[in-house]
Amino acid sequence: MLPDPRGRQGRQHLFEDIVTIAICAVVCGADAWTEVSQFGEAKVKWFKTFLNLPYGIPSHDTFGAVFAVIDPNALERFFLSWINALAEKSEGRLIAIDGKTLRRSFDRASDKAAIHMVSAWASANDLCFGQLATDAKSNEITAIPKLLELLDLSGAIVTIDAMGCQKAISRQIVEQGGAYVLAVKENQPILHDEMKLFLDDAITRNFKDIGHDFHESLEKGHGRIETRRIWCTPQVDWFEDRHRWSGLHSFAVVERERTVNEETSCERHYFISTLDGRDAKAMGDAVRSHWRVENGLHWALDVSFAEDH
């Protein structure tokens, strides 16, 4: 389906062979066309089990010349459709949207700011559905809707940190058939302050006369003890602005208590969601899966793909 950008002349190597070898090589760590060609030569016996390779493995010059003229938007579109097919087969339906700044991508000479990437990550099967670049973290608000447009959200739960907690984004997720769990912080001051007052008071009073669910988990390791407590409630009728948040059905608060070297700290995070509000474990799993994007995606991009360089 990806159009071959080459003219009729000079088409010795098959286009699908070139693209397939390049994708496999990059996934395995190649980051130069010479390495892509070397990877092909090293794995030629395996590649011949499913590729034609009428003239053997292409040279590094061939790889460079072909990819120099490929339409990058078309390549991304078809690549994402393939990844989405893999995700569907492995039932990865929780999608974490998160941003990351590439440390060394700024250019002082041209006064260019560092690149900020926004990614869609399927935690259940360790797949990145797509990425968009912005000039600054503040532009996540405009990048997230564009990234969501690329995704099939039917039946998916979308988790986003506080930057993506916007009424328009909540509406888009619902209109595309998805559910959401959005972190709430001071960038939504009215929502944050009213939720904090309501939920903190409810916890103090043990949720007396308030329908809710509760779940607690304990994790030990690396000299650290972490207790996670989550309360969620479907009672959102008291919040006057609730109708401006599409599909809003529940509020949740996650409390993390950490003990490291006999020093204990405790912090609370607040969330709005379209989920039922009577299953604290499911809500906690969604929040916990979002935090895993740091190790599952960002660490791999930094270390395996040297993205910060």
Side-chain angles (χ1 to χ4, degrees):
M1 297 170 65
L2 181 65
D4 188 341
R6 301 173 295 173
R8 292 187 177 275
Q9 296 181 349
R11 288 190 184 184
Q12 290 185 334
H13 297 284
L14 298 179
F15 184 56
E16 56 266 32
D17 290 357
I18 294 172
V19 174
T20 302
I21 294 170
I23 289 176
C24 291
V26 171
V27 165
C28 291
D31 60 5
W33 295 126
T34 52
E35 294 180 5
V36 170
S37 183
Q38 289 167 2
F39 179 87
E41 295 289 354
K43 304 290 183 182
V44 64
K45 185 177 179 180
W46 175 67
F47 277 123
K48 283 183 175 179
T49 64
F50 60 96
L51 297 180
N52 291 316
L53 298 176
Y55 298 97
I57 300 297
S59 69
H60 68 276
D61 287 334
T62 299
F63 281 109
V66 171
F67 274 86
V69 292
I70 284 180
D71 177 359
N73 293 323
L75 177 61
E76 180 183 39
R77 186 165 61 251
F78 292 124
F79 186 83
L80 288 179
S81 69
W82 172 51
I83 292 298
N84 275 300
L86 294 179
E88 184 176 342
K89 290 179 180 179
S90 50
E91 298 180 354
R93 302 314 300 160
L94 194 144
I95 302 173
I97 306 292
D98 200 29
K100 171 182 175 294
T101 300
L102 280 61
R103 287 177 57 196
R104 294 178 178 86
S105 59
F106 61 87
D107 186 349
R108 288 195 179 97
S110 60
D111 196 29
K112 181 181 178 181
I115 297 171
H116 188 80
M117 298 294 294
V118 181
S119 304
W121 176 250
S123 301
N125 40 19
D126 292 338
L127 286 173
C128 183
F129 280 176
Q131 292 181 316
L132 285 178
T134 71
D135 289 331
K137 187 173 178 63
S138 60
N139 287 338
E140 281 191 19
I141 296 174
T142 58
I144 289 173
K146 295 177 182 178
L147 182 57
L148 292 174
E149 288 175 1
L150 300 174
L151 307 176
D152 176 11
L153 301 182
S154 303
I157 300 173
V158 179
T159 62
I160 314 179
D161 62 14
M163 185 63 71
C165 186
Q166 306 290 331
K167 299 180 183 69
I169 290 176
S170 72
R171 181 170 60 252
Q172 181 178 354
I173 293 172
V174 172
E175 289 176 351
Q176 290 186 223
Y180 62 75
V181 177
L182 306 180
V184 180
K185 291 185 179 178
E186 286 80 1
N187 63 321
Q188 292 288 347
I190 296 177
L191 175 61
H192 176 265
D193 291 349
E194 292 195 22
M195 279 186 64
K196 186 177 187 302
L197 181 64
F198 172 75
L199 291 170
D200 288 359
D201 180 67
I203 291 172
T204 301
R205 298 189 297 110
N206 200 26
F207 277 82
K208 183 178 180 180
D209 300 324
I210 300 175
H212 73 289
D213 193 30
F214 172 75
H215 179 73
E216 180 176 294
S217 62
L218 180 68
E219 185 177 284
K220 297 180 180 180
H222 305 290
R224 180 187 68 187
I225 301 175
E226 180 168 306
T227 303
R228 300 186 194 90
R229 306 179 185 92
I230 179 167
W231 298 262
C232 59
T233 175
Q235 291 191 214
V236 299
D237 293 346
W238 59 268
F239 182 55
E240 292 185 1
D241 256 3
R242 64 186 181 280
H243 299 300
R244 300 179 65 188
W245 296 89
S246 295
L248 176 60
H249 283 155
S250 57
F251 292 142
V253 53
V254 175
E255 182 178 85
R256 291 191 293 175
E257 183 179 296
R258 294 182 179 182
T259 300
V260 182
N261 298 327
E262 298 184 354
E263 291 188 7
T264 299
S265 62
C266 187
E267 58 184 14
R268 288 177 179 172
H269 302 271
Y270 304 87
F271 302 86
I272 60 173
S273 179
T274 58
L275 300 182
D276 189 293
R278 289 173 287 191
D279 189 344
K281 186 178 185 305
M283 187 79 73
D285 288 344
V287 172
R288 182 66 174 161
S289 293
H290 183 88
W291 289 335
R292 284 203 294 267
V293 73
E294 292 294 336
N295 291 332
L297 176 62
H298 293 168
W299 185 90
L301 290 174
D302 283 346
V303 176
S304 301
F305 291 92
E307 186 173 79
D308 274 353
H309 291 278

